[in-house]
């Protein structure tokens, strides 16, 4: 299995776990809930002025929003993968260290 194929399989496997975990964490995270409220307030303000924008202005803003959301989603996915990799590295190191000290 190539490195890319392993990464792709690893990524797909993590995403099956991610959704329920992230949803549950987000529900109880105060910072996320505050950010969500600010986002809703900003969206309401945008919808209030949307009709006064030209089509070109609206397209520019919508493209910006879409690309920002896409970029944030990609970064979220990468961060989740990085966290899983870091945990595996940590567990590997922790196991090595504990074996060294407790098996001697």
């Amino acid at each position: 299995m190539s490195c890319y194929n392993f990464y792709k399989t690893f990524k797909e496997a993590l995403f099956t776990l991610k959704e329920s975990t992230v949803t549950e964490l987000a529900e109880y995270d105060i910072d996320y809930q505050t950010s969500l409220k600010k986002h809703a307030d900003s969206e309401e303000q945008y919808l209030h002025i949307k009709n006064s924008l030209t089509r070109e202005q609206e397209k520019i803003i919508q493209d910006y929003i879409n690309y920002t959301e896409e970029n944030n989603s990609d970064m979220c996915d990468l961060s989740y993968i990085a966290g899983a990799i870091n945990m595996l590295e940590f567990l590997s190191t922790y196991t090595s260290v504990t074996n060294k000290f407790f098996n001697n």
Side-chain angles (χ1 to χ4, degrees), residues 58-86:
E58 187 176 348
K59 183 181 179 334
I60 290 169
I61 290 171
Q62 196 57 54
D63 286 347
Y64 174 73
I65 291 169
N66 290 342
Y67 292 131
T68 299
E69 287 178 351
E70 181 180 342
N71 184 264
N72 288 343
S73 177
D74 291 345
M75 184 55 73
C76 178
D77 291 347
L78 292 173
S79 296
Y80 191 81
I81 292 168
I85 291 169
N86 290 344

Side-chain angles (χ1 to χ4, degrees), residues 31-77:
D31 293 332
Y32 177 76
Q33 293 300 322
T34 301
S35 175
L36 194 61
K37 171 77 169 97
K38 289 178 182 178
H39 180 267
D41 293 345
S42 294
E43 183 177 25
E44 187 177 317
Q45 291 174 344
Y46 168 70
L47 293 175
H48 190 69
I49 67 161
K50 183 179 176 183
N51 293 334
S52 66
L53 300 173
T54 66
R55 285 183 185 212
E56 183 180 353
Q57 290 171 326
E58 187 176 348
K59 183 181 179 334
I60 290 169
I61 290 171
Q62 196 57 54
D63 286 347
Y64 174 73
I65 291 169
N66 290 342
Y67 292 131
T68 299
E69 287 178 351
E70 181 180 342
N71 184 264
N72 288 343
S73 177
D74 291 345
M75 184 55 73
C76 178
D77 291 347

